[in-house]
Amino acid sequence: MSYFSPTALADALDILSRGPGKIIAGGTDVYPSARPGESPDYFLDLTRVDALSAIRQNAAGTYFGATVTWTDIVRADLHPAFDALKAAGREVGSVQIQNAGTLAGNLCNASPAADGVPALLALEAVVEIASAARGARDVPLADFITGVRQTALAPDELVRGIRVPPQPEGMQSAFEKLGSRTYLVISICMTAANVLLDARGRIAEARVAVGACSAVAQRLAGLEKRLIGMRPADLRVTPEDLEDLSPIDDVRGTASYRLDAVQEQIQRTLQRASAA
Amino acid sequence: MNKQMPELSLSFTLNSARVSATPYPGQRLSELLREGLDARDVKIGCDAGDCGACTVLVDGKPVCACLTPAHQAQGRDVETLRGLRQNEPIAARLAESFQDHGAAQCGICTPGMMVSAVALLRDNPAPDEGAVQDALGGVLCRCTGYRKIIDAVVGAPAIAFDGAGEVGFALRRVDGAAKVAGDELFGDDVAPPGCLEILVIRAPYPRARFSFGDLEAFANTPGVAAVLTAADIPGKNAFGVIPQFVDQPVFAEEETRFRGEAVAAVVAEPAFLVQFAPQMFPVSWTELPAATDIDAAQSPQAADLHEGRANNVMCGGFVTCGDPKAGLARAATTVEGRFQSGFVEHGYIEPEAGFAEIVNGRVELHACTQAPVMDLEALADILGMDRSQIRILPTAVGGGFGSKLDITVQPYLALAALKTGKPVRICYTRNESMQSSTKRHPSDITLRIGADAQGRITGFDFLGVFDTGAYASWGPTVANRVPVHASGPYRIAHYRAESKAIHTNNPPAGAFRGFGVPQSAIAQECLFDELAERLGLDPLEFRILNALENDVPTVCGQVFHQGVGIKACLEALRPAWEAEHRAAAGFNEASGPLRRGVGVAAGWYGCGNTSLPNPSTFRAGVRPDGQVVLHQGAMDIGQGASTVMAQIFAAELGVTPGALELVGADTDVTPDGGKTSASRQTFVSGNAARLAGAALRAAILAKVNAAPDSEIAFGQGEIRMRGATEHHIDLAALPVDALGYVFRAEETYDPPTKPLDANGQGAPYAQFGYAAHLAVVEVDTAMGTVKPLKFVAAHDVGRAINPMLVEGQVHGGIAQGLGMALMEEYLPGRTENLHDYLIPTIGDIPPIETLIIEEPDAHGPYGAKGLGEHVLIPTAPAILNAIKAATGVRLHRVPATPQRLHDALKTGDRNGA
Ligand SMILES: Cc1cc2nc3c(=O)[nH]c(=O)nc-3n(C[C@H](O)[C@H](O)[C@H](O)COP(=O)(O)OP(=O)(O)OC[C@H]3O[C@@H](n4cnc5c(N)ncnc54)[C@H](O)[C@@H]3O)c2cc1C
């Protein structure tokens, strides 16, 4: 067992190409899911790799390096379209968790209740993957998480960063999380919505993504289409809008409760995202 | 840094000092700090980021050290409470402020709280409540209810002070300074680093047969010092807290009865255990059909868990008076309902932990406990040793709430120390703590109550069935207490209450703040609201009308001629009741999903054992140097017993508490103060402390025939007395006794009770304490979520020996009652960690107003009554009644999770989910 903390991405990729190990960033998912007596061949700590810790904004969009933490996001000066992502960040666990936990770790851990996923789906984020053998490739977030705790990553790959394309001027965003207590709580369901209104105050574009109501968080394409041209005051989310969701029963709530709650939650999130 | 080479040693700054270390790959920073770098002020509560006790600052940012790879500290600046306390003026101020508010009770979360708060205050010197909540939301506290912590961080005016500390004075805790400095030593803080560790092997199924493989070969594995099983127990392989119900094995033999039951233990070097998992232990399991709820356990197919307890009925309790049938028949209105609750976990932030070594052939055991002498007696039986060969040195206790009354780590420690001859330690993981420790009993209660047209209760018929789990623990106590208390603090002339405790293949249900009374209070107080509604009476006035009074018999036929304070508690709520009702009605005029409601509930609780002897003995002495020493044997588990005993004793002796030297509950030197349970310490031990103080004073005065009202002053080697005449005692001239004292007093107090007859008639307690809570909630009717907005809590404590500590108990009890009402449910195999088992966070507890009522009790020291359990009895029903007021929906099952409330709202089911 070894512990690697490379400073160059190329070194990190080389280490990873030698065989399976455990990538660690904030460790906030790695440690709680570690099983006693089972240790990886090595830990690959990404937190000292140069160039992975930055948030960059330019004409090509916004880029979050793989070790950007929730606190970095909450404190960054970002376009209002990122308000949902920031709000999600403020609700991840606690300050302690936000200071260590990373956006990339949240995606790679691929929990159905990962709070970062709906907001990034609503931002149409793309995941940048890298390996020593094959260089870099881009995967849209919707294709990156493939199931409960499953991603499109090959064993020798890591996430280098997350890219969000430029967002339309005027797009607003909101996030709602439902949990059984105030802090340190896993979502029963959560919704992120990004909305662009036209000059007459009608919905020109809407992106609505829902988490913890299916194996992988997802956008509600039917609802998004239906919203176009509507005045926010008129919008009513209906059970039909939720047809693609397939929530489960667990200790946090039943499937039928989740469907009821998320319907109301989507309604509220959309109202907030389209409020002037 | 080198390119692709693994990291070995590292160096960083720890509390301003340069340190270096060689952690193993993946080692948690928390472990490195505690075991490698002597930073035991970093506390570990869950090892999963869920409790925040281990919070440290890395480059100024709070993180959970348990989730931080030690290697990430390389080159960084790491700060812990101890360092901050010394180097950071903000922390020094905060430490004072914590003591000014009683913001540290047991103290186990205090390092995490203070470190998080320092980070906040560095950024924002004048945070508001919301900022404090956001900053401290990652640290769980189970004692304080958080409000005093918020007050301490925002720098609200002090409520506790240094001073003469007379009875009634809000003295700062006498043990507060160590807690806020990170110097308090808890169960896992005394062992020397590197000593042998114990890992318990536990059953993975609710019920299973098992057989061991080659234990000898395993025991010879390098790194393993010993293996322990039932075969290693020299005495009785059984423990239990009630003599007739000693039924739980230290290690199961052949069959296990609940998930998490111990079958063996590995004693090994720490390095061995790092790479060891319980699945590697040579034991094979065969899962057996299990009964995991009351119904299954009572079905004809169910196997009996214990011989001689047919149908899995462990025991029952019964109280009746008058003619309940006729009383109900005569009623103008009756209501009835069935109420259910699940397991509730104590959720103290300190897992069970301890250390043992053999000293001069004797077993010396340091562990967190609520009952050191009971631990000693249990060990004497298990080890087959004379009690003189065992010494219990209780550590500080990081929360107990009832569960640390039972032995847990003690036998493993003692057996391992005896078998290896070496020092050994153990600290339960959060997971095994939750699996194996006792829980609050799940309840299934049916109740019928009738009242006449004027609203006077005419009849009451109660049946409570409790899941007592696999072993007895305190189940018999719950069975006894519930029928005595199920009436609530009311005048009920025609009454019947029966309880039954049923064994299941669940964790043993035991003592948890209130011994079953919080569960019965839910049924009774919720139905009181239903009854009041049917009668068209105001719920508060209905309670006042029926409230017990002096000279009115309780349901046990016990008549108190003084000290019944429930009416005063209820009446004290009137102004808030009216104001909050108006405010809620105003709020509800607006339409929308948010609805507010106000609820009220009351409770009572008998202090001390039920109709059983329950003595406390206190010893005090004066050393030749003039130092007064108080042997404080009433375990302080955060509630403040050390402070209360010091105040009472000092008041009697005629000195200030600050002049005392306190010696803890070390069984070699301190007499038995009895267990910290049953809200008995202030009452029972308080009386023993009072008597000891008076006796010591009398002995000193008698020596020189000084007047009884003389002032006593202890000086270096002398005592001076000033009254009508002056006296002086030169202590050097006096003989020193075997314990090192020139004066000594030892006094015992045992509360007067009388046995209960077959109908539960008698005098079960010498005193009761009384309480009434008002809760205001806001319900999001679309989501089913409940947000408590305010509590007003009136408590009759007889005499508040220390009002700050009274408030601390009230706040903490309300937080636990709120958790039970809204979020807490332990499901074996499913919510065995603090990630899935939710207890309230700092954002969940609204402002609490405490109204202290002082209706003195003739038996209490200075009139004082117990309080520790009263504080959560009315909370849950007050919340449920407020939910009903807000929504019209009556919930019959706790916790009222968002889903349960939503489902009930959706179906409009007035009988609830
Ligand atoms: C107490 C607590 C509360 C929490 N609350 C929330 C919450 O409210 N909402 C929420 O969504 N989550 C929550 N989490 C989960 C967790 O904090 C987040 O998912 C966090 O964003 C994970 O980031 P990390 O950097 O700590 O991940 P790590 O633990 O370091 O890694 C997570 C996983 O991703 C892999 N990984 C990390 N980085 C990369 C990379 N660049 N390339 C490839 N693989 C990688 C790791 O190997 C691991 O499998 C909580 C966790 C804890 C302990």
Side-chain angles (χ1 to χ4, degrees):
Chain A
M1 208 175 37
S2 335
Y3 196 95
F4 297 100
S5 301
T7 53
L9 181 61
D11 292 335
L13 294 175
D14 267 350
I15 293 162
L16 203 51
S17 66
R18 292 181 200 162
K22 189 73 195 159
I23 296 176
I24 190 162
T28 62
D29 279 317
V30 167
Y31 280 102
S33 57
R35 306 192 142 272
E38 289 172 24
S39 38
D41 286 346
Y42 63 85
F43 289 97
L44 173 58
D45 184 333
L46 299 181
T47 56
R48 284 173 206 273
V49 177
D50 307 331
L52 289 188
S53 62
I55 301 179
R56 284 196 302 273
Q57 302 186 70
N58 56 33
T62 305
Y63 181 81
F64 301 98
T67 60
V68 168
T69 65
W70 286 111
T71 298
D72 295 337
I73 291 170
V74 168
R75 295 196 176 161
D77 187 13
L78 301 172
H79 185 288
F82 289 81
D83 284 358
L85 183 65
K86 286 187 160 195
R90 277 191 292 270
E91 296 216 32
V92 169
S94 62
V95 167
Q96 285 83 341
I97 303 301
Q98 293 156 25
N99 281 336
T102 62
L103 187 56
N106 194 241
L107 303 186
C108 294
N109 188 55
S111 157
D115 281 322
V117 178
L120 285 176
L121 285 172
L123 287 164
E124 310 199 295
V126 171
V127 181
E128 278 190 13
I129 294 175
S131 64
R134 297 177 302 286
R137 64 181 179 116
D138 284 356
V139 178
L141 177 56
D143 300 328
F144 175 75
I145 303 175
T146 55
V148 176
R149 309 221 171 258
Q150 283 170 342
T151 67
L153 284 174
D156 66 341
E157 287 180 324
L158 56 74
V159 169
R160 193 170 68 183
I162 295 133
R163 218 175 49 235
V164 177
Q167 300 294 307
E169 200 45 50
M171 178 169 270
Q172 304 193 113
S173 151
F175 175 77
E176 292 256 342
K177 166 170 173 167
L178 174 64
S180 297
R181 67 177 176 188
T182 310
Y183 298 103
L184 288 166
V185 68
I186 300 303
S187 298
I188 298 171
C189 58
M190 68 286 198
T191 301
N194 278 25
V195 175
L196 181 68
L197 301 181
D198 65 17
R200 294 174 310 151
R202 291 174 191 269
I203 295 174
E205 186 181 353
R207 307 182 202 135
V208 183
V210 167
C213 286
S214 45
V216 181
Q218 56 176 287
R219 281 174 62 177
L220 301 181
L223 172 65
E224 291 179 358
K225 217 179 285 158
R226 194 166 74 73
L227 292 173
I228 307 288
M230 263 194 202
R231 283 192 316 211
D234 297 337
L235 75 87
R236 287 284 167 275
V237 179
T238 64
E240 292 72 57
D241 294 322
L242 312 178
E243 270 168 2
D244 292 341
L245 300 178
S246 50
I248 57 162
D249 294 342
D250 65 14
V251 290
R252 287 178 270 279
T254 58
S256 81
Y257 169 61
R258 283 197 160 90
L259 282 178
D260 286 349
V262 84
Q263 182 181 332
E264 173 72 15
Q265 187 178 61
I266 297 167
Q267 177 84 26
R268 291 180 186 183
T269 315
L270 279 167
Q271 299 289 6
R272 282 186 40 222
S274 36
Chain B
M1 196 168 300
N2 44 36
K3 289 183 57 169
Q4 298 179 12
M5 294 295 289
E7 307 294 325
L8 295 169
S9 63
L10 59 140
S11 69
F12 59 99
T13 308
L14 174 60
N15 294 327
S16 305
R18 197 81 198 149
V19 295
S20 50
T22 311
Y24 60 82
Q27 185 171 23
R28 300 165 193 257
L29 181 59
S30 49
E31 189 186 30
L32 177 70
L33 291 173
R34 284 178 54 83
E35 302 307 321
L37 297 166
D38 197 29
R40 291 257 168 106
D41 54 321
V42 176
K43 305 302 177 193
I44 296 177
C46 71
D47 254 346
D50 297 317
C51 78
C54 67
T55 300
V56 299
L57 304 183
V58 176
D59 285 352
K61 281 189 192 167
V63 295
C64 291
C66 74
L67 301 180
T68 305
H71 283 98
Q72 282 188 0
Q74 165 64 35
R76 310 251 188 249
D77 185 12
V78 176
E79 294 168 289
T80 73
L81 176 60
R82 222 178 262 165
L84 289 167
R85 179 78 182 75
Q86 281 155 15
N87 309 325
E88 168 61 86
I90 290 176
R93 277 202 304 278
L94 190 64
E96 295 305 312
S97 191
F98 260 59
Q99 295 180 79
D100 289 344
H101 290 91
Q105 287 193 16
C106 80
I108 192 79
C109 76
T110 307
M113 288 291 181
M114 288 185 60
V115 168
S116 303
V118 168
L120 168 71
L121 292 168
R122 279 174 171 172
D123 269 5
N124 176 359
D128 62 13
E129 178 177 328
V132 175
Q133 288 172 321
D134 284 348
L136 272 51
V139 191
L140 297 179
C141 168
R142 195 58 156 168
C143 295
T144 65
Y146 300 104
R147 301 303 309 188
K148 297 302 174 195
I149 293 174
I150 297 174
D151 288 350
V153 179
V154 301
I159 62 158
F161 310 90
D162 290 327
E166 68 272 17
V167 161
F169 184 86
L171 185 72
R172 283 171 155 208
R173 299 181 65 104
V174 296
D175 51 1
K179 292 180 198 278
V180 297
D183 292 338
E184 187 81 289
L185 297 180
F186 294 90
D188 198 35
D189 298 338
V190 281
C195 85
L196 291 174
E197 291 174 15
I198 304 171
L199 179 83
V200 179
I201 306 298
R202 298 181 181 280
Y205 305 110
R207 183 172 166 229
R209 213 183 347 262
F210 66 94
S211 57
F212 292 123
D214 190 345
L215 292 181
E216 215 178 296
F218 180 80
N220 289 327
T221 316
V224 175
V227 170
L228 303 171
T229 66
D232 294 289
I233 295 177
K236 267 202 318 213
N237 182 20
F239 66 92
V241 288
I242 295 174
Q244 306 88 312
F245 290 90
V246 173
D247 61 2
Q248 184 164 358
V250 175
F251 293 116
E253 299 174 44
E254 288 167 28
E255 194 176 311
T256 52
R257 296 183 175 92
F258 73 99
R259 178 180 157 86
E261 181 163 9
V263 296
V266 180
V267 189
E269 305 287 343
F272 174 87
L273 292 174
V274 166
Q275 41 79 37
F276 182 76
Q279 306 84 268
M280 303 172 186
F281 190 79
V283 55
S284 55
W285 298 96
T286 312
E287 191 175 0
L288 297 174
T292 55
D293 59 42
I294 291 171
D295 288 343
Q298 299 243 274
S299 82
Q301 296 85 347
D304 283 346
L305 271 87
H306 297 275
E307 223 175 285
R309 300 181 190 163
N311 286 327
N312 289 316
V313 178
M314 179 178 72
C315 65
F318 185 66
V319 170
T320 192
C321 64
D323 185 346
K325 250 199 199 121
L328 282 166
R330 195 169 64 238
T333 310
T334 59
V335 290
E336 66 180 289
R338 179 175 178 196
F339 294 83
Q340 291 172 296
S341 68
F343 281 110
V344 185
E345 154 72 21
H346 298 74
Y348 28 73
I349 304 305
E350 180 206 29
E352 297 78 355
F355 165 69
E357 58 187 336
I358 306 299
V359 178
N360 299 328
R362 298 168 76 219
V363 178
E364 291 200 356
L365 194 141
H366 309 248
C368 48
T369 180
Q370 293 177 238
V373 175
M374 287 176 64
D375 293 351
L376 182 118
E377 288 163 353
L379 282 183
D381 285 348
I382 292 164
L383 303 177
M385 271 169 108
D386 191 82
R387 17 183 322 169
S388 66
Q389 297 307 298
I390 306 167
R391 178 182 190 184
I392 306 286
L393 298 114
T395 64
V397 184
F401 316 116
S403 194
K404 288 176 183 167
L405 290 165
D406 297 59
I407 58 165
T408 55
V409 296
Q410 292 84 352
Y412 312 128
L413 284 166
L415 290 165
L418 285 167
K419 188 157 178 178
T420 63
K422 293 186 182 147
V424 293
R425 71 191 287 192
I426 186 171
C427 178
Y428 281 1
T429 63
R430 178 54 57 179
N431 185 256
E432 72 179 328
S433 169
M434 291 185 72
Q435 282 186 1
S436 66
S437 67
T438 61
K439 303 280 171 283
R440 182 181 296 288
H441 284 70
S443 62
D444 187 343
I445 293 170
T446 35
L447 173 59
R448 220 168 137 228
I449 316 177
D452 66 19
Q454 286 70 48
R456 292 201 184 271
I457 308 278
T458 57
F460 191 106
D461 189 5
F462 173 103
L463 173 65
V465 186
F466 291 86
D467 177 350
T468 204
Y471 296 102
S473 182
W474 297 91
T477 309
V478 167
N480 283 337
R481 273 199 178 256
V482 164
V484 171
H485 289 82
S487 61
Y490 301 101
R491 167 205 302 254
I492 301 180
H494 304 285
Y495 177 85
R496 182 183 195 282
E498 187 184 348
S499 66
K500 273 201 283 188
I502 308 299
H503 280 302
T504 63
N505 292 108
N506 282 327
F512 189 169
R513 236 177 176 170
F515 285 92
V517 181
Q519 294 95 306
S520 68
I522 288 177
Q524 173 262 315
E525 287 290 325
C526 286
L527 278 190
F528 265 38
D529 261 31
E530 299 301 301
L531 200 48
E533 188 183 321
R534 295 268 187 93
L535 292 160
L537 293 175
D538 174 90
L540 180 62
E541 297 307 323
F542 171 72
R543 287 175 171 83
I544 292 173
L545 176 72
N546 285 290
L548 203 63
E549 288 178 276
N550 289 342
D551 301 316
V552 173
T554 71
V555 290
C556 293
Q558 188 172 13
V559 179
F560 290 95
H561 300 299
Q562 49 74 42
V564 178
I566 184 56
K567 212 166 188 176
C569 290
L570 289 163
E571 285 169 351
L573 293 182
R574 266 188 189 136
W577 177 249
E578 280 157 24
E580 294 301 334
H581 264 285
R582 267 197 309 280
F587 179 88
N588 290 339
E589 273 170 22
S591 62
L594 301 184
R595 303 279 95 196
R596 288 193 182 167
V598 187
V600 66
W604 67 334
Y605 196 76
C607 305
N609 284 352
T610 313
S611 297
L612 285 172
N614 194 201
S616 261
T617 301
F618 265 57
R619 174 186 298 160
V622 182
R623 281 203 311 247
D625 63 1
Q627 176 65 50
V628 182
V629 178
L630 175 63
H631 293 257
Q632 204 296 86
M635 276 309 296
D636 193 320
I637 60 174
Q639 86 282 29
S642 291
T643 308
V644 166
M645 298 311 143
Q647 280 183 266
I648 292 176
F649 173 82
E652 285 294 326
L653 181 60
V655 300
T656 64
L660 304 177
E661 181 180 309
L662 296 193
V663 173
D666 172 345
T667 54
D668 268 12
V669 298
T670 297
D672 187 6
K675 60 203 194 302
T676 291
S677 81
S679 303
R680 62 178 288 286
Q681 291 297 24
T682 296
F683 166 37
V684 182
S685 288
N687 267 321
R690 176 180 62 82
L691 293 169
L696 189 62
R697 179 182 172 86
I700 293 167
L701 296 179
K703 187 93 200 160
V704 289
N705 269 328
D709 61 351
S710 300
E711 270 178 39
I712 300 190
F714 293 85
Q716 185 57 45
E718 60 163 15
I719 305 175
R720 289 181 179 281
M721 278 144 286
R722 230 184 31 213
T725 50
E726 295 204 6
H727 297 276
H728 171 261
I729 302 175
D730 179 5
L731 299 176
L734 299 181
V736 179
D737 73 11
L739 301 179
Y741 296 122
V742 287
F743 287 100
R744 177 152 63 99
E746 191 161 316
E747 292 293 324
T748 297
Y749 179 79
D750 194 7
T753 62
K754 287 199 199 97
L756 296 176
D757 68 15
N759 286 325
Q761 300 298 295
Y765 308 106
Q767 64 165 220
F768 281 80
Y770 303 87
H773 289 179
L774 175 152
V776 186
V777 303
E778 182 174 290
V779 179
D780 183 333
T781 52
M783 296 298 198
T785 48
V786 177
K787 188 176 157 58
L789 299 177
K790 180 179 186 177
F791 288 95
V792 183
H795 281 270
D796 170 23
V797 297
R799 177 79 195 273
I801 305 289
N802 182 323
M804 175 270 290
L805 293 173
V806 168
E807 265 197 78
Q809 286 299 291
V810 172
H811 284 213
I814 285 180
Q816 290 184 356
L818 182 153
M820 178 184 177
L822 297 180
M823 60 183 84
E824 299 187 30
E825 182 157 24
Y826 177 78
L827 303 167
R830 296 175 73 194
T831 59
E832 294 173 342
N833 56 57
L834 294 174
H835 208 62
D836 298 311
Y837 184 88
L838 302 182
I839 67 173
T841 68
I842 198 169
D844 298 303
I845 309 298
I848 298 167
E849 195 185 324
T850 306
L851 307 174
I852 296 178
I853 309 292
E854 297 189 312
E855 187 75 41
D857 180 79
H859 296 293
Y862 295 89
K865 300 170 183 172
L867 176 67
E869 289 159 290
H870 311 73
V871 290
L872 73 60
I873 292 169
T875 311
I879 291 173
L880 294 175
N881 287 340
I883 294 173
K884 168 80 192 277
T887 64
V889 162
R890 165 65 60 200
L891 289 175
H892 288 230
R893 192 184 175 96
V894 288
T897 58
Q899 179 220 310
R900 281 200 185 125
L901 178 53
H902 170 84
D903 290 354
L905 285 162
K906 193 174 173 183
T907 55
D909 178 2
R910 291 179 52 86
N911 285 324

